[in-house]
Amino acid sequence: MRCGVWLFPSASAGELVAAAVLAESLGLDEFWLGDEGPAREPFAVLAGAAGATSRITLAIGITNPYVRLPALTATTALTIAELAGGPERVILGMGAGGSLSLDPFGLVGPHPLASVRQALATIRSVCAGEASIGYQPVEHAMHGHLRLYVGARGERLNRLASAEADGAFVAGLPPFHYDQVLSWCRSVRPIDVALYPSVAFTPADVERSRPQMLWAVANAPAEVQRALGVEQDELAVATAALTSGNEKPAAAVMNDERLSQVMLIGEPTTVGRRLAELVRRHRPNAIGLALLQQDLASAVASAAAAFETMRREL
């Protein structure tokens, strides 16, 4: 079973590449970067990491067909695979995009199921060197193999992943919802599942993560919001304030009880035991941690320590 980390691309490009190098040196198998609007460009960072590492899988988790043309996304990912030494080192995650990735560009993301399905088809066509909607190959066009994952929170896109993708990237959801989501991911075919809960290792991590975890609730299915007892009016007020830079309403919504339900909290040993429980229950192909910490080196090292505990428990 593979282990890895996911990072929000808000640190400098150099720090992100260094985190990938550190993750590989500590024995981790996957390094995921989010595509979160006008933050660091994740494809460029992974291109840099491709030349600085030799083994670790480099993954986009996730991009969407609204911000990026799917055919161009495919050739970009193929280029990173070429730099990395082979397609086995790259995963391209596709989804419908959330508010963080779409709102800064004034995008809404209509018809998410149809758009993601067509994006997968177009990317497959690029890889095969065949014409498709939105793509016409030319003599100098790139082609090759890509592993395609779908990252989503809702039923329809996770069922699409099971039917048409190579894997599902399950992140940004509370662990109590994993049973339902993984049943959708495995409803048609037994695809790979990468399970990536969010984590806070220290009290300082908890407070740093508290307002930001509101996005996980805001973009979650309605049944998750109801289970957490979050009202739509308080959610709207808090997300609007957070967008404008005021974290207080978001921190108030994400009280200790809710925060403990949407992420793993504790020292690496405690987190490792929780990961072992998740592995026993859900049997993912990969298990990872979504890191929101400011000190990336410390966060990656803590994640590696948590995986060591997990392996001992298993």
Side-chain angles (χ1 to χ4, degrees):
M1 185 179 57
R2 305 184 305 274
C3 296
V5 292
W6 175 96
L7 298 181
F8 189 96
S10 56
S12 72
E15 289 176 302
L16 292 169
V17 171
V21 172
L22 177 60
E24 181 175 83
S25 72
L26 293 173
L28 274 62
D29 307 297
E30 297 182 347
F31 181 82
W32 291 78
L33 273 185
D35 188 4
E36 303 293 352
R40 300 307 187 278
E41 167 51 54
F43 287 92
V45 171
L46 292 189
T53 58
S54 61
R55 177 191 57 80
I56 196 167
T57 295
L58 305 171
I60 292 290
I62 60 170
T63 190
N64 64 79
Y66 307 109
V67 172
R68 303 177 188 272
L69 291 173
L72 187 58
T73 299
T75 58
T76 304
L78 286 168
T79 301
I80 295 173
E82 192 172 71
L83 290 169
E88 68 280 355
R89 288 196 61 203
V90 172
I91 295 175
L92 175 57
M94 180 65 62
S99 53
L100 278 179
S101 59
L102 299 181
D103 289 357
F105 302 110
L107 298 173
V108 177
H111 313 297
L113 181 64
S115 297
V116 174
R117 176 182 283 120
Q118 184 56 57
L120 294 177
T122 299
I123 293 168
R124 298 281 194 204
S125 296
V126 172
C127 290
E130 300 171 350
S132 178
I133 295 175
Y135 180 68
Q136 180 63 50
V138 293
E139 183 178 355
H140 60 273
M142 289 193 73
H143 58 85
H145 176 68
L146 283 174
R147 283 183 288 168
L148 300 182
Y149 280 42
V150 168
R153 297 176 173 90
E155 178 177 359
R156 295 190 302 165
L157 282 172
N158 278 300
R159 290 189 183 278
L160 175 67
S162 185
E164 301 185 23
D166 300 308
F169 181 63
V170 180
L173 283 166
F176 69 73
H177 197 47
Y178 287 166
D179 280 329
Q180 180 67 82
V181 173
L182 268 63
S183 72
W184 299 330
C185 295
R186 293 163 170 161
S187 60
V188 181
R189 317 165 27 239
I191 60 172
D192 278 7
V193 171
L195 196 62
Y196 272 66
S198 299
V199 66
F201 291 113
T202 68
D205 289 345
V206 169
E207 295 313 313
R208 174 178 167 79
S209 303
R210 187 183 299 276
Q212 298 305 318
M213 288 305 296
L214 181 77
W215 295 118
V217 178
N219 292 314
E223 60 265 30
V224 171
Q225 296 172 358
R226 288 194 295 269
L228 291 170
V230 179
E231 300 293 337
Q232 289 300 311
D233 55 350
E234 67 173 336
L235 190 59
V237 170
T239 53
L242 189 57
T243 301
S244 66
N246 179 8
E247 295 184 339
K248 289 184 178 180
V253 171
M254 299 308 301
N255 57 38
D256 287 348
E257 180 180 356
R258 288 170 179 162
L259 201 64
S260 67
Q261 293 185 73
V262 300
M263 68 190 310
L264 308 185
I265 297 174
E267 297 179 351
T269 300
T270 301
V271 171
R273 294 192 183 108
R274 289 289 310 280
L275 288 173
E277 293 171 2
L278 293 175
V279 169
R280 291 190 193 100
R281 182 177 183 89
H282 301 295
R283 301 296 178 185
N285 303 89
I287 187 79
L289 290 168
L291 307 177
L292 301 176
Q293 289 79 1
Q294 191 166 15
D295 185 340
L296 296 186
S298 176
V300 172
S302 293
F307 295 134
E308 289 181 7
T309 296
M310 177 196 75
R311 293 187 182 98
R312 288 196 296 269
E313 292 287 314
L314 293 172

